[in-house]
Amino acid sequence: NGGTSFPSYSKNNRGSFINPFDYDNANNILYAGDNAGTFYRWNAPPTASTDSQVTVTAFNGYKVTHVSVSPITNNRVFFGLTNGSVVMVDSANVGTARTGKVIKPALGSGWNLSCIAVDSADENHILIAYSNYGVTQIYESTTALQTTPVWTAIQGNLADMPIRWCMFYPQSPTRAILATETGIWTTDQINGSS
């Protein structure tokens, strides 16, 4: 009705205070954080539809800190966790239990993975960011979905500050844009550790 009124829905009170989520607009599904070891799925919001709490073995009891729906593979979702790992879940749109696959190993308890950016032309090309101080905050992989993915620290001369969001430059996945605690930073060329 042109914004005159907005409905209110209370579906998941189990996630974080500011709960990470992503919306799969191709399949009309909302994915979000939930209790430790699980994610939340809401099919066809905001209709009177089904919602589910989904247990993922590969979460290993940790909470979701970031959700990113694949721009390429249908019903594939990438989750960042409070142990710094990235878990890929296929067929995330069905069932209440999934195995998942760890594509970035855990770094230890208390690592807050704040963002996962997937190259819209190549799912093997992924950027991830952390919002902790005193750690390497940004990594890149061009082999993320292979059996043994390689992750390269691409911090370069970036100061030690939390990164809240990362993304590939819209016209070129060889460049990156970062939203940090001190503002927006860019690089003209992602070039591994240099």
Side-chain angles (χ1 to χ4, degrees), residues 137-158:
Q137 285 103 351
I138 184 104
Y139 290 86
E140 174 191 33
S141 180
T142 56
T143 60
L145 305 186
Q146 294 180 13
T147 304
T148 309
V150 174
W151 292 89
T152 304
I154 59 169
Q155 187 89 5
N157 64 348
L158 192 65

Side-chain angles (χ1 to χ4, degrees), residues 1-193:
N1 61 3
T4 303
S5 62
F6 291 92
S8 174
Y9 296 91
S10 180
K11 287 286 201 174
N12 173 14
N13 292 318
R14 298 177 304 268
S16 300
F17 179 70
I18 299 175
N19 205 26
F21 74 95
D22 199 10
Y23 180 68
D24 180 350
N25 63 328
N27 296 298
N28 194 21
I29 301 172
L30 181 100
Y31 296 96
D34 205 303
N35 288 338
T38 65
F39 72 85
Y40 174 77
R41 181 183 64 233
W42 184 11
N43 296 316
T47 62
S49 55
T50 60
D51 62 328
S52 303
Q53 184 178 34
V54 182
T55 301
V56 180
T57 307
F59 284 7
N60 202 24
Y62 286 90
K63 280 191 91 162
V64 171
T65 58
H66 184 79
V67 182
S68 187
V69 172
S70 170
I72 298 172
T73 303
N74 206 22
N75 300 309
R76 174 176 286 169
V77 183
F78 298 91
F79 294 92
L81 303 177
T82 53
N83 66 356
S85 67
V86 176
V87 174
M88 178 181 72
V89 177
D90 284 331
S91 301
N93 61 318
V94 293
T96 57
R98 288 273 158 279
T99 302
K101 178 183 177 187
V102 176
I103 63 170
K104 173 73 168 82
L107 296 171
S109 186
W111 281 71
N112 187 52
L113 196 142
S114 55
C115 191
I116 303 167
V118 181
D119 185 338
S120 61
D122 179 7
E123 272 183 319
N124 273 298
H125 192 200
I126 295 178
L127 289 179
I128 59 172
Y130 294 94
S131 62
N132 301 77
Y133 284 105
V135 302
T136 301
Q137 285 103 351
I138 184 104
Y139 290 86
E140 174 191 33
S141 180
T142 56
T143 60
L145 305 186
Q146 294 180 13
T147 304
T148 309
V150 174
W151 292 89
T152 304
I154 59 169
Q155 187 89 5
N157 64 348
L158 192 65
D160 179 15
M161 61 189 159
I163 297 175
R164 306 296 182 195
W165 201 263
C166 62
M167 64 183 285
F168 291 105
Y169 189 75
Q171 285 79 29
S172 173
T174 63
R175 301 171 67 185
I177 303 170
L178 307 174
T180 76
E181 191 145 286
T182 64
I184 306 300
W185 293 67
T186 65
T187 181
D188 291 333
Q189 180 67 44
I190 298 172
N191 188 19
S193 57

